[in-house]
Amino acid sequence: MQNHSFHPESLMMSYGYRPEWSEGAIKCPIFQTSTFVFPSAEEGKAHFEVAYGLRDRRDGEREGLIYSRINNPDLEILENRLCLWDKADDCAVFESGMGAITTVLLEFLKPGDLLVHTTPLYGGVDHFIRHFLPKMGVHTMEFHPGDSQEMLESQIQATGHADRLAMIYVETPANPTNALYDLQMCRSVADRFSNSEKRVLVAVDNTYMGPVWQHPLRWGADFSIYSATKYIGGHSDVIAGAVCGNNGNMKRVKGLRTFLGNMAGPWTGWLLLRSLETLHLRMERQASTAAQVAAFLQSHAKVEKVHYLGFLDPQRDAQQYDIFKRQYTSAGAMLSFEVRGGEAAAFKVLNQLKMIKLAVSLGGTESLAQHPDTMTHVGVALEHKRALGITPGMIRLSVGVEHPDDLIWDLRQALLD
Ligand SMILES: *Cc1c(COP(=O)(O)O)cnc(C)c1O
C-alpha cells in the first residue's frame, strides 16, 4: 500500500500546490503580481544566485520567487503538472505554441548548423524554418513519411552539412493527412550523427496527440513541445505553449525565455491549470466520438476517402500501422475526409454545417471544420500540397465533446445535395 503512484489525471487537481500557501484555498489563486517581496536581503541574494546559475539549489531549497518574467506560482505549478504526462524533468510554459517552438529553435541552432525537419509542418513553423532561419545562416532539409532510415541518412550526407546536423524537428501525426513519423528511427538517425562533443537533438511537436496519447521523450526525443492552445487549453479561449525536456536543456530554454520575455502570464497559467483537470476526460471522449464520426463518413457515398488513424490496415499500410501500434495509445480525435466534387463540393458541405463551426484551430470542446487547401495550408506550394495528399475536396475535422449523434446528424445533412 506504500508505493502507489497516482495517474497524471488524478494529480491534475492538486499536484504541486498546498492550500496552506493561500489561506486554505482549495484552488491555486491567480497570482496577479509582477514582483515578489524578499523576506530578507540574504534570501533575496540566495534567490538570485540560483536564478542566475551561480550555484545549484541546496537540498530542500525551493526556487525563490523574484519577478513574474522569471517565475510565478501559476506558471510553476502548471509546469510541474505538465511534466507528469511526459515524465519530463522540467517544463516551460509560453504565451503561444509559436513562442515555445521558436525559443527552442533559436536556443539550440546557430549559424552554419543543419536542421532536418518533417513535412508538412504547422504553417507558422514552416514559415519560420523556411524564411527566418536561413537569414541566421541555418541550413534546412525536409524529409517525408515513409522515407527509410538509410534514405534519410544519405539525404543528410548529400546536403554537405552532415557534420553540422544539430536537430531533427518532427511533427507527428502530420496535419491534415495524419501521416506518421517514427520517433525511434529519428532518434537513431540523430545518434548516428552525434559524437562525444555533440548530441543531435530531436524535438517533437506533440500538439496533435499529446500529452495523453503520445510520449515523445519515451522514444528518445529531447523535447516534447505543445501548442497548449489546442487540447491542453481545450476551450478555444486561450493561446499558450509549452516545452518539456530534461533539466540541462530546459535550463537553456527557460534562460532564453527570460530574455525574450515570452513566458505566459498568471491569468493564462491559471486558465490552463483549470483546463488540465478535465484534459484526460475531454480527450478520451473526443477520441471515442471521432471513431463514430469516422465510421459514418467512411460509409457515406459522397465521401471518397477518410484519413483517420483508426482505419490504418496492417497489410495495406504496414509501415504506418507499425508506427501507430508502437507510438500511440489512441487513434486521436483529428480526421480529414475528401468529398467527391472538389472545392465546390467541400465548400458546400462547410457552408451547410449547422452545429460544427467553420474555423481553424483544433482540440477544443466544440467541433471545428476547415478547408486545408485554401485555409491552413494555402501557403504550401501547389505540387507539394498535392504530393502530400492535400486535395481540393478535403475537409479537416477536429472532433469536440458534443453528442456523437448530433455531429453525425450535422454532417449527414451537410452532405445532402
Ligand atoms: C496551433 C499549432 C501551433 C502553433 O501554436 P499557437 O499556440 O497558435 O502559437 C504549432 N503546432 C501545431 C501542430 C499547431 O496545431
Side-chain angles (χ1 to χ4, degrees):
M1 292 303 282
Q2 299 302 316
N3 296 321
H4 183 73
S5 68
F6 291 104
H7 294 80
E9 58 265 42
S10 303
L11 294 169
M12 287 303 112
M13 280 60 81
S14 60
Y15 184 79
Y17 169 72
R18 298 231 291 271
E20 58 265 34
W21 293 341
S22 310
E23 313 265 1
I26 190 164
K27 290 287 108 171
C28 176
I30 306 171
F31 286 86
Q32 191 68 48
T33 185
S34 60
T35 194
F36 298 86
V37 178
F38 306 137
S40 67
E42 288 75 13
E43 284 179 68
K45 177 182 172 183
H47 292 355
F48 271 89
E49 283 171 350
V50 173
Y52 275 72
L54 303 181
R55 63 169 175 84
D56 285 332
R57 232 180 288 180
R58 300 193 179 101
D59 274 350
E61 181 183 9
R62 290 185 58 209
E63 190 177 327
L65 292 160
I66 297 177
Y67 184 68
S68 285
R69 179 156 45 73
I70 302 170
N71 51 8
N72 173 289
D74 294 294
L75 278 202
E76 287 193 357
I77 294 165
L78 171 63
E79 286 164 353
N80 292 340
R81 289 184 193 172
L82 282 170
C83 283
L84 298 174
W85 300 95
D86 280 306
K87 296 190 166 60
D89 293 347
D90 200 4
C91 170
V93 173
F94 289 81
E95 199 48 70
S96 68
M98 284 305 297
I101 293 162
T102 54
T103 300
V104 169
L105 295 174
L106 288 172
E107 176 58 32
F108 294 95
L109 295 172
K110 50 188 186 308
D113 279 351
L114 173 66
L115 171 73
V116 167
H117 64 88
T118 59
T119 184
L121 289 174
Y122 179 75
V125 178
D126 188 76
H127 184 90
F128 189 82
I129 288 178
R130 286 179 206 278
H131 300 286
F132 183 82
L133 289 181
K135 286 199 282 189
M136 272 180 48
V138 172
H139 306 285
T140 66
M141 187 205 102
E142 66 177 43
F143 67 107
H144 303 98
D147 286 357
S148 68
Q149 180 161 348
E150 296 69 39
M151 281 164 76
L152 181 51
E153 288 177 0
S154 67
Q155 285 165 339
I156 292 170
Q157 293 291 2
T159 62
H161 305 292
D163 58 326
R164 292 294 304 272
L165 177 62
M167 185 187 287
I168 303 178
Y169 181 92
V170 186
E171 200 177 305
T172 181
N175 167 20
T177 54
N178 281 334
L180 302 177
Y181 286 92
D182 184 340
L183 295 178
Q184 263 178 316
M185 190 264 266
C186 294
R187 177 73 260 159
S188 76
V189 172
D191 286 344
R192 168 94 174 62
F193 291 93
S194 298
N195 55 45
S196 55
E197 267 112 70
K198 173 192 83 168
R199 175 178 170 90
V200 175
L201 298 169
V202 176
V204 180
D205 183 330
N206 199 28
T207 302
Y208 252 55
M209 291 294 254
V212 174
W213 301 317
Q214 172 174 255
H215 300 105
L217 305 186
R218 189 175 154 200
W219 305 110
D222 299 281
F223 297 105
S224 176
I225 312 180
Y226 298 95
S227 168
T229 310
K230 313 297 165 53
Y231 287 102
I232 293 174
H235 295 70
S236 308
D237 55 8
V238 63
I239 300 277
V243 182
C244 293
N246 70 28
N247 279 325
N249 287 333
M250 290 311 299
K251 209 166 172 172
R252 289 181 59 181
V253 170
K254 285 186 163 174
L256 185 59
R257 183 183 69 171
T258 294
F259 299 112
L260 292 176
N262 54 0
M263 73 298 155
W267 172 229
T268 296
W270 186 88
L271 279 171
L272 293 178
L273 282 174
R274 185 173 177 143
S275 289
L276 278 185
E277 300 193 5
T278 55
L279 176 75
H280 189 266
L281 208 60
R282 285 185 277 112
M283 289 183 80
E284 289 299 325
R285 162 71 180 226
Q286 285 167 273
S288 75
T289 302
Q292 296 181 54
V293 169
F296 162 74
L297 289 168
Q298 180 87 322
S299 68
H300 199 286
K302 285 237 187 80
V303 175
E304 229 170 324
K305 188 165 183 179
V306 180
H307 302 265
Y308 170 64
L309 290 174
F311 292 157
L312 285 175
D313 183 90
Q315 264 86 48
R316 196 187 56 229
D317 317 301
Q319 184 258 7
Q320 292 278 297
Y321 183 82
D322 171 58
I323 303 172
F324 175 61
K325 280 291 163 202
R326 220 173 341 117
Q327 211 164 280
Y328 300 89
T329 54
S330 164
M334 291 298 299
L335 54 96
S336 57
F337 60 101
E338 293 171 42
V339 183
R340 287 181 214 284
E343 179 178 307
F347 275 22
K348 202 162 162 207
V349 172
L350 289 167
N351 288 331
Q352 287 182 357
L353 288 169
K354 289 190 164 47
M355 186 178 72
I356 299 169
K357 301 286 188 299
L358 172 54
V360 299
S361 198
L362 60 102
T365 43
E366 67 275 89
S367 295
L368 301 177
Q370 63 105 6
H371 188 248
D373 192 31
T374 61
M375 296 174 189
T376 46
H377 292 70
V378 69
V380 180
L382 190 67
E383 324 91 85
H384 191 42
K385 258 193 305 205
R386 298 298 177 255
L388 293 168
I390 302 168
T391 60
M394 179 184 271
I395 292 173
R396 187 187 79 181
L397 199 59
S398 167
V399 176
V401 301
E402 302 92 340
H403 197 291
D405 292 351
D406 294 337
L407 293 174
I408 290 167
W409 173 86
D410 200 14
L411 287 162
R412 180 181 284 123
Q413 64 82 27
L415 281 159
L416 285 176
D417 281 322

PDB file of all heavy atoms in Angstrom, residues 150-181:
ATOM      1  N   GLU A 150      17.884   4.571 -44.000  1.00  0.00           N
ATOM      2  CA  GLU A 150      19.012   4.666 -44.942  1.00  0.00           C
ATOM      3  C   GLU A 150      18.829   5.870 -45.859  1.00  0.00           C
ATOM      4  O   GLU A 150      19.768   6.616 -46.123  1.00  0.00           O
ATOM      5  CB  GLU A 150      19.126   3.390 -45.803  1.00  0.00           C
ATOM      6  CG  GLU A 150      19.452   2.118 -45.027  1.00  0.00           C
ATOM      7  CD  GLU A 150      18.308   1.643 -44.126  1.00  0.00           C
ATOM      8  OE1 GLU A 150      17.125   1.730 -44.545  1.00  0.00           O
ATOM      9  OE2 GLU A 150      18.586   1.211 -42.986  1.00  0.00           O
ATOM     10  N   MET A 151      17.592   6.052 -46.357  1.00  0.00           N
ATOM     11  CA  MET A 151      17.330   7.192 -47.251  1.00  0.00           C
ATOM     12  C   MET A 151      17.595   8.507 -46.531  1.00  0.00           C
ATOM     13  O   MET A 151      18.231   9.413 -47.057  1.00  0.00           O
ATOM     14  CB  MET A 151      15.864   7.182 -47.718  1.00  0.00           C
ATOM     15  CG  MET A 151      15.570   6.212 -48.843  1.00  0.00           C
ATOM     16  SD  MET A 151      13.781   5.963 -48.974  1.00  0.00           S
ATOM     17  CE  MET A 151      13.290   7.489 -49.776  1.00  0.00           C
ATOM     18  N   LEU A 152      17.090   8.597 -45.303  1.00  0.00           N
ATOM     19  CA  LEU A 152      17.234   9.833 -44.548  1.00  0.00           C
ATOM     20  C   LEU A 152      18.713  10.123 -44.289  1.00  0.00           C
ATOM     21  O   LEU A 152      19.187  11.255 -44.489  1.00  0.00           O
ATOM     22  CB  LEU A 152      16.446   9.708 -43.233  1.00  0.00           C
ATOM     23  CG  LEU A 152      16.451  10.898 -42.295  1.00  0.00           C
ATOM     24  CD1 LEU A 152      16.065  12.192 -43.007  1.00  0.00           C
ATOM     25  CD2 LEU A 152      15.490  10.652 -41.131  1.00  0.00           C
ATOM     26  N   GLU A 153      19.476   9.103 -43.914  1.00  0.00           N
ATOM     27  CA  GLU A 153      20.900   9.320 -43.640  1.00  0.00           C
ATOM     28  C   GLU A 153      21.644   9.746 -44.894  1.00  0.00           C
ATOM     29  O   GLU A 153      22.504  10.623 -44.841  1.00  0.00           O
ATOM     30  CB  GLU A 153      21.514   8.059 -43.021  1.00  0.00           C
ATOM     31  CG  GLU A 153      21.020   7.872 -41.588  1.00  0.00           C
ATOM     32  CD  GLU A 153      21.511   6.600 -40.905  1.00  0.00           C
ATOM     33  OE1 GLU A 153      22.260   5.824 -41.535  1.00  0.00           O
ATOM     34  OE2 GLU A 153      21.130   6.391 -39.742  1.00  0.00           O
ATOM     35  N   SER A 154      21.281   9.144 -46.043  1.00  0.00           N
ATOM     36  CA  SER A 154      22.029   9.542 -47.241  1.00  0.00           C
ATOM     37  C   SER A 154      21.602  10.933 -47.712  1.00  0.00           C
ATOM     38  O   SER A 154      22.423  11.696 -48.212  1.00  0.00           O
ATOM     39  CB  SER A 154      21.959   8.478 -48.337  1.00  0.00           C
ATOM     40  OG  SER A 154      20.652   8.381 -48.814  1.00  0.00           O
ATOM     41  N   GLN A 155      20.332  11.305 -47.493  1.00  0.00           N
ATOM     42  CA  GLN A 155      19.914  12.684 -47.817  1.00  0.00           C
ATOM     43  C   GLN A 155      20.661  13.694 -46.946  1.00  0.00           C
ATOM     44  O   GLN A 155      21.058  14.759 -47.415  1.00  0.00           O
ATOM     45  CB  GLN A 155      18.397  12.853 -47.586  1.00  0.00           C
ATOM     46  CG  GLN A 155      17.533  12.203 -48.659  1.00  0.00           C
ATOM     47  CD  GLN A 155      16.067  12.067 -48.199  1.00  0.00           C
ATOM     48  OE1 GLN A 155      15.753  12.086 -47.008  1.00  0.00           O
ATOM     49  NE2 GLN A 155      15.177  11.921 -49.157  1.00  0.00           N
ATOM     50  N   ILE A 156      20.862  13.345 -45.691  1.00  0.00           N
ATOM     51  CA  ILE A 156      21.591  14.254 -44.785  1.00  0.00           C
ATOM     52  C   ILE A 156      23.043  14.394 -45.253  1.00  0.00           C
ATOM     53  O   ILE A 156      23.569  15.506 -45.353  1.00  0.00           O
ATOM     54  CB  ILE A 156      21.505  13.764 -43.315  1.00  0.00           C
ATOM     55  CG1 ILE A 156      20.058  13.888 -42.803  1.00  0.00           C
ATOM     56  CG2 ILE A 156      22.460  14.539 -42.411  1.00  0.00           C
ATOM     57  CD1 ILE A 156      19.786  13.222 -41.461  1.00  0.00           C
ATOM     58  N   GLN A 157      23.656  13.262 -45.602  1.00  0.00           N
ATOM     59  CA  GLN A 157      25.043  13.313 -46.119  1.00  0.00           C
ATOM     60  C   GLN A 157      25.125  14.203 -47.349  1.00  0.00           C
ATOM     61  O   GLN A 157      26.053  14.991 -47.505  1.00  0.00           O
ATOM     62  CB  GLN A 157      25.540  11.894 -46.486  1.00  0.00           C
ATOM     63  CG  GLN A 157      25.726  10.950 -45.304  1.00  0.00           C
ATOM     64  CD  GLN A 157      26.894  11.336 -44.383  1.00  0.00           C
ATOM     65  OE1 GLN A 157      27.566  12.351 -44.593  1.00  0.00           O
ATOM     66  NE2 GLN A 157      27.107  10.552 -43.341  1.00  0.00           N
ATOM     67  N   ALA A 158      24.101  14.083 -48.226  1.00  0.00           N
ATOM     68  CA  ALA A 158      24.135  14.797 -49.506  1.00  0.00           C
ATOM     69  C   ALA A 158      24.012  16.310 -49.349  1.00  0.00           C
ATOM     70  O   ALA A 158      24.324  17.058 -50.277  1.00  0.00           O
ATOM     71  CB  ALA A 158      23.031  14.261 -50.422  1.00  0.00           C
ATOM     72  N   THR A 159      23.576  16.792 -48.203  1.00  0.00           N
ATOM     73  CA  THR A 159      23.481  18.253 -48.028  1.00  0.00           C
ATOM     74  C   THR A 159      24.860  18.894 -47.934  1.00  0.00           C
ATOM     75  O   THR A 159      25.003  20.098 -48.118  1.00  0.00           O
ATOM     76  CB  THR A 159      22.726  18.638 -46.719  1.00  0.00           C
ATOM     77  OG1 THR A 159      23.469  18.136 -45.592  1.00  0.00           O
ATOM     78  CG2 THR A 159      21.312  18.104 -46.681  1.00  0.00           C
ATOM     79  N   GLY A 160      25.874  18.090 -47.588  1.00  0.00           N
ATOM     80  CA  GLY A 160      27.210  18.657 -47.379  1.00  0.00           C
ATOM     81  C   GLY A 160      27.374  19.287 -45.994  1.00  0.00           C
ATOM     82  O   GLY A 160      28.430  19.828 -45.678  1.00  0.00           O
ATOM     83  N   HIS A 161      26.324  19.234 -45.168  1.00  0.00           N
ATOM     84  CA  HIS A 161      26.408  19.848 -43.834  1.00  0.00           C
ATOM     85  C   HIS A 161      26.190  18.808 -42.727  1.00  0.00           C
ATOM     86  O   HIS A 161      25.833  19.166 -41.611  1.00  0.00           O
ATOM     87  CB  HIS A 161      25.337  20.938 -43.679  1.00  0.00           C
ATOM     88  CG  HIS A 161      25.383  21.988 -44.744  1.00  0.00           C
ATOM     89  ND1 HIS A 161      26.423  22.880 -44.843  1.00  0.00           N
ATOM     90  CD2 HIS A 161      24.527  22.267 -45.767  1.00  0.00           C
ATOM     91  CE1 HIS A 161      26.202  23.675 -45.884  1.00  0.00           C
ATOM     92  NE2 HIS A 161      25.071  23.328 -46.467  1.00  0.00           N
ATOM     93  N   ALA A 162      26.376  17.533 -43.062  1.00  0.00           N
ATOM     94  CA  ALA A 162      26.057  16.468 -42.097  1.00  0.00           C
ATOM     95  C   ALA A 162      26.805  16.646 -40.776  1.00  0.00           C
ATOM     96  O   ALA A 162      26.266  16.352 -39.711  1.00  0.00           O
ATOM     97  CB  ALA A 162      26.377  15.104 -42.710  1.00  0.00           C
ATOM     98  N   ASP A 163      28.041  17.142 -40.858  1.00  0.00           N
ATOM     99  CA  ASP A 163      28.817  17.311 -39.615  1.00  0.00           C
ATOM    100  C   ASP A 163      28.238  18.416 -38.734  1.00  0.00           C
ATOM    101  O   ASP A 163      28.594  18.521 -37.569  1.00  0.00           O
ATOM    102  CB  ASP A 163      30.289  17.601 -39.937  1.00  0.00           C
ATOM    103  CG  ASP A 163      30.453  18.845 -40.793  1.00  0.00           C
ATOM    104  OD1 ASP A 163      29.559  19.117 -41.645  1.00  0.00           O
ATOM    105  OD2 ASP A 163      31.446  19.573 -40.607  1.00  0.00           O
ATOM    106  N   ARG A 164      27.357  19.240 -39.316  1.00  0.00           N
ATOM    107  CA  ARG A 164      26.748  20.316 -38.527  1.00  0.00           C
ATOM    108  C   ARG A 164      25.271  20.028 -38.225  1.00  0.00           C
ATOM    109  O   ARG A 164      24.548  20.935 -37.817  1.00  0.00           O
ATOM    110  CB  ARG A 164      26.877  21.657 -39.275  1.00  0.00           C
ATOM    111  CG  ARG A 164      28.310  22.173 -39.389  1.00  0.00           C
ATOM    112  CD  ARG A 164      28.905  22.550 -38.023  1.00  0.00           C
ATOM    113  NE  ARG A 164      28.108  23.532 -37.309  1.00  0.00           N
ATOM    114  CZ  ARG A 164      28.250  24.849 -37.441  1.00  0.00           C
ATOM    115  NH1 ARG A 164      29.156  25.353 -38.258  1.00  0.00           N
ATOM    116  NH2 ARG A 164      27.498  25.672 -36.735  1.00  0.00           N
ATOM    117  N   LEU A 165      24.828  18.767 -38.430  1.00  0.00           N
ATOM    118  CA  LEU A 165      23.436  18.453 -38.069  1.00  0.00           C
ATOM    119  C   LEU A 165      23.253  18.719 -36.576  1.00  0.00           C
ATOM    120  O   LEU A 165      23.977  18.171 -35.746  1.00  0.00           O
ATOM    121  CB  LEU A 165      23.102  16.983 -38.395  1.00  0.00           C
ATOM    122  CG  LEU A 165      21.694  16.537 -37.978  1.00  0.00           C
ATOM    123  CD1 LEU A 165      20.610  17.329 -38.712  1.00  0.00           C
ATOM    124  CD2 LEU A 165      21.493  15.042 -38.234  1.00  0.00           C
ATOM    125  N   ALA A 166      22.287  19.596 -36.247  1.00  0.00           N
ATOM    126  CA  ALA A 166      22.089  19.983 -34.845  1.00  0.00           C
ATOM    127  C   ALA A 166      20.766  19.457 -34.296  1.00  0.00           C
ATOM    128  O   ALA A 166      20.653  19.184 -33.109  1.00  0.00           O
ATOM    129  CB  ALA A 166      22.135  21.503 -34.711  1.00  0.00           C
ATOM    130  N   MET A 167      19.765  19.356 -35.179  1.00  0.00           N
ATOM    131  CA  MET A 167      18.442  18.998 -34.661  1.00  0.00           C
ATOM    132  C   MET A 167      17.576  18.349 -35.737  1.00  0.00           C
ATOM    133  O   MET A 167      17.648  18.724 -36.906  1.00  0.00           O
ATOM    134  CB  MET A 167      17.718  20.260 -34.147  1.00  0.00           C
ATOM    135  CG  MET A 167      16.381  19.986 -33.471  1.00  0.00           C
ATOM    136  SD  MET A 167      15.463  21.497 -33.065  1.00  0.00           S
ATOM    137  CE  MET A 167      16.401  22.128 -31.696  1.00  0.00           C
ATOM    138  N   ILE A 168      16.783  17.367 -35.315  1.00  0.00           N
ATOM    139  CA  ILE A 168      15.722  16.818 -36.162  1.00  0.00           C
ATOM    140  C   ILE A 168      14.409  17.268 -35.525  1.00  0.00           C
ATOM    141  O   ILE A 168      14.167  17.012 -34.343  1.00  0.00           O
ATOM    142  CB  ILE A 168      15.803  15.281 -36.263  1.00  0.00           C
ATOM    143  CG1 ILE A 168      17.181  14.859 -36.804  1.00  0.00           C
ATOM    144  CG2 ILE A 168      14.670  14.741 -37.141  1.00  0.00           C
ATOM    145  CD1 ILE A 168      17.390  13.348 -36.906  1.00  0.00           C
ATOM    146  N   TYR A 169      13.588  17.978 -36.307  1.00  0.00           N
ATOM    147  CA  TYR A 169      12.337  18.531 -35.794  1.00  0.00           C
ATOM    148  C   TYR A 169      11.183  17.765 -36.438  1.00  0.00           C
ATOM    149  O   TYR A 169      11.093  17.689 -37.673  1.00  0.00           O
ATOM    150  CB  TYR A 169      12.269  20.032 -36.139  1.00  0.00           C
ATOM    151  CG  TYR A 169      11.007  20.692 -35.623  1.00  0.00           C
ATOM    152  CD1 TYR A 169      10.968  21.296 -34.371  1.00  0.00           C
ATOM    153  CD2 TYR A 169       9.842  20.691 -36.389  1.00  0.00           C
ATOM    154  CE1 TYR A 169       9.807  21.881 -33.888  1.00  0.00           C
ATOM    155  CE2 TYR A 169       8.678  21.274 -35.916  1.00  0.00           C
ATOM    156  CZ  TYR A 169       8.670  21.869 -34.668  1.00  0.00           C
ATOM    157  OH  TYR A 169       7.513  22.439 -34.197  1.00  0.00           O
ATOM    158  N   VAL A 170      10.303  17.227 -35.605  1.00  0.00           N
ATOM    159  CA  VAL A 170       9.282  16.295 -36.101  1.00  0.00           C
ATOM    160  C   VAL A 170       7.887  16.722 -35.668  1.00  0.00           C
ATOM    161  O   VAL A 170       7.665  17.028 -34.496  1.00  0.00           O
ATOM    162  CB  VAL A 170       9.531  14.867 -35.526  1.00  0.00           C
ATOM    163  CG1 VAL A 170       8.578  13.854 -36.150  1.00  0.00           C
ATOM    164  CG2 VAL A 170      10.973  14.432 -35.735  1.00  0.00           C
ATOM    165  N   GLU A 171       6.963  16.715 -36.621  1.00  0.00           N
ATOM    166  CA  GLU A 171       5.552  16.891 -36.273  1.00  0.00           C
ATOM    167  C   GLU A 171       4.845  15.607 -36.661  1.00  0.00           C
ATOM    168  O   GLU A 171       4.754  15.273 -37.841  1.00  0.00           O
ATOM    169  CB  GLU A 171       4.993  18.089 -37.061  1.00  0.00           C
ATOM    170  CG  GLU A 171       3.727  18.670 -36.469  1.00  0.00           C
ATOM    171  CD  GLU A 171       3.250  19.894 -37.245  1.00  0.00           C
ATOM    172  OE1 GLU A 171       4.031  20.848 -37.425  1.00  0.00           O
ATOM    173  OE2 GLU A 171       2.091  19.875 -37.686  1.00  0.00           O
ATOM    174  N   THR A 172       4.361  14.867 -35.690  1.00  0.00           N
ATOM    175  CA  THR A 172       3.677  13.600 -35.961  1.00  0.00           C
ATOM    176  C   THR A 172       2.510  13.418 -35.004  1.00  0.00           C
ATOM    177  O   THR A 172       2.686  13.657 -33.817  1.00  0.00           O
ATOM    178  CB  THR A 172       4.654  12.401 -35.895  1.00  0.00           C
ATOM    179  OG1 THR A 172       3.939  11.195 -36.198  1.00  0.00           O
ATOM    180  CG2 THR A 172       5.324  12.227 -34.527  1.00  0.00           C
ATOM    181  N   PRO A 173       1.301  13.108 -35.510  1.00  0.00           N
ATOM    182  CA  PRO A 173       0.913  12.928 -36.903  1.00  0.00           C
ATOM    183  C   PRO A 173       1.007  14.250 -37.672  1.00  0.00           C
ATOM    184  O   PRO A 173       0.826  15.309 -37.080  1.00  0.00           O
ATOM    185  CB  PRO A 173      -0.558  12.494 -36.820  1.00  0.00           C
ATOM    186  CG  PRO A 173      -0.834  12.172 -35.400  1.00  0.00           C
ATOM    187  CD  PRO A 173       0.160  12.904 -34.592  1.00  0.00           C
ATOM    188  N   ALA A 174       1.283  14.144 -38.985  1.00  0.00           N
ATOM    189  CA  ALA A 174       1.317  15.342 -39.811  1.00  0.00           C
ATOM    190  C   ALA A 174      -0.113  15.823 -40.060  1.00  0.00           C
ATOM    191  O   ALA A 174      -1.046  15.036 -40.125  1.00  0.00           O
ATOM    192  CB  ALA A 174       2.022  15.037 -41.126  1.00  0.00           C
ATOM    193  N   ASN A 175      -0.237  17.106 -40.191  1.00  0.00           N
ATOM    194  CA  ASN A 175      -1.517  17.784 -40.383  1.00  0.00           C
ATOM    195  C   ASN A 175      -1.660  18.129 -41.865  1.00  0.00           C
ATOM    196  O   ASN A 175      -0.737  18.706 -42.408  1.00  0.00           O
ATOM    197  CB  ASN A 175      -1.446  19.045 -39.504  1.00  0.00           C
ATOM    198  CG  ASN A 175      -2.526  20.048 -39.794  1.00  0.00           C
ATOM    199  OD1 ASN A 175      -3.546  19.736 -40.372  1.00  0.00           O
ATOM    200  ND2 ASN A 175      -2.284  21.277 -39.383  1.00  0.00           N
ATOM    201  N   PRO A 176      -2.766  17.862 -42.525  1.00  0.00           N
ATOM    202  CA  PRO A 176      -4.029  17.283 -42.069  1.00  0.00           C
ATOM    203  C   PRO A 176      -4.187  15.818 -42.449  1.00  0.00           C
ATOM    204  O   PRO A 176      -5.278  15.263 -42.296  1.00  0.00           O
ATOM    205  CB  PRO A 176      -5.043  18.113 -42.867  1.00  0.00           C
ATOM    206  CG  PRO A 176      -4.349  18.354 -44.183  1.00  0.00           C
ATOM    207  CD  PRO A 176      -2.865  18.395 -43.883  1.00  0.00           C
ATOM    208  N   THR A 177      -3.133  15.158 -42.945  1.00  0.00           N
ATOM    209  CA  THR A 177      -3.321  13.814 -43.507  1.00  0.00           C
ATOM    210  C   THR A 177      -3.139  12.701 -42.481  1.00  0.00           C
ATOM    211  O   THR A 177      -3.397  11.534 -42.773  1.00  0.00           O
ATOM    212  CB  THR A 177      -2.303  13.578 -44.646  1.00  0.00           C
ATOM    213  OG1 THR A 177      -0.991  13.840 -44.115  1.00  0.00           O
ATOM    214  CG2 THR A 177      -2.566  14.491 -45.822  1.00  0.00           C
ATOM    215  N   ASN A 178      -2.639  13.061 -41.256  1.00  0.00           N
ATOM    216  CA  ASN A 178      -2.364  12.056 -40.222  1.00  0.00           C
ATOM    217  C   ASN A 178      -1.249  11.092 -40.607  1.00  0.00           C
ATOM    218  O   ASN A 178      -1.175   9.979 -40.074  1.00  0.00           O
ATOM    219  CB  ASN A 178      -3.630  11.263 -39.855  1.00  0.00           C
ATOM    220  CG  ASN A 178      -4.538  12.049 -38.915  1.00  0.00           C
ATOM    221  OD1 ASN A 178      -4.084  12.919 -38.180  1.00  0.00           O
ATOM    222  ND2 ASN A 178      -5.822  11.750 -38.947  1.00  0.00           N
ATOM    223  N   ALA A 179      -0.339  11.498 -41.516  1.00  0.00           N
ATOM    224  CA  ALA A 179       0.830  10.660 -41.814  1.00  0.00           C
ATOM    225  C   ALA A 179       1.712  10.623 -40.566  1.00  0.00           C
ATOM    226  O   ALA A 179       1.875  11.633 -39.883  1.00  0.00           O
ATOM    227  CB  ALA A 179       1.604  11.236 -42.994  1.00  0.00           C
ATOM    228  N   LEU A 180       2.282   9.432 -40.273  1.00  0.00           N
ATOM    229  CA  LEU A 180       3.048   9.240 -39.031  1.00  0.00           C
ATOM    230  C   LEU A 180       4.545   9.159 -39.304  1.00  0.00           C
ATOM    231  O   LEU A 180       4.976   8.584 -40.306  1.00  0.00           O
ATOM    232  CB  LEU A 180       2.596   7.952 -38.343  1.00  0.00           C
ATOM    233  CG  LEU A 180       1.106   7.857 -37.993  1.00  0.00           C
ATOM    234  CD1 LEU A 180       0.800   6.496 -37.373  1.00  0.00           C
ATOM    235  CD2 LEU A 180       0.689   8.987 -37.056  1.00  0.00           C
ATOM    236  N   TYR A 181       5.321   9.710 -38.380  1.00  0.00           N
ATOM    237  CA  TYR A 181       6.779   9.584 -38.407  1.00  0.00           C
ATOM    238  C   TYR A 181       7.225   8.740 -37.219  1.00  0.00           C
ATOM    239  O   TYR A 181       6.660   8.857 -36.125  1.00  0.00           O
ATOM    240  CB  TYR A 181       7.434  10.970 -38.339  1.00  0.00           C
ATOM    241  CG  TYR A 181       7.321  11.748 -39.628  1.00  0.00           C
ATOM    242  CD1 TYR A 181       6.266  12.623 -39.851  1.00  0.00           C
ATOM    243  CD2 TYR A 181       8.277  11.596 -40.626  1.00  0.00           C
ATOM    244  CE1 TYR A 181       6.161  13.344 -41.029  1.00  0.00           C
ATOM    245  CE2 TYR A 181       8.188  12.314 -41.814  1.00  0.00           C
ATOM    246  CZ  TYR A 181       7.133  13.185 -42.008  1.00  0.00           C
ATOM    247  OH  TYR A 181       7.043  13.892 -43.176  1.00  0.00           O
TER     248      TYR A 181
END
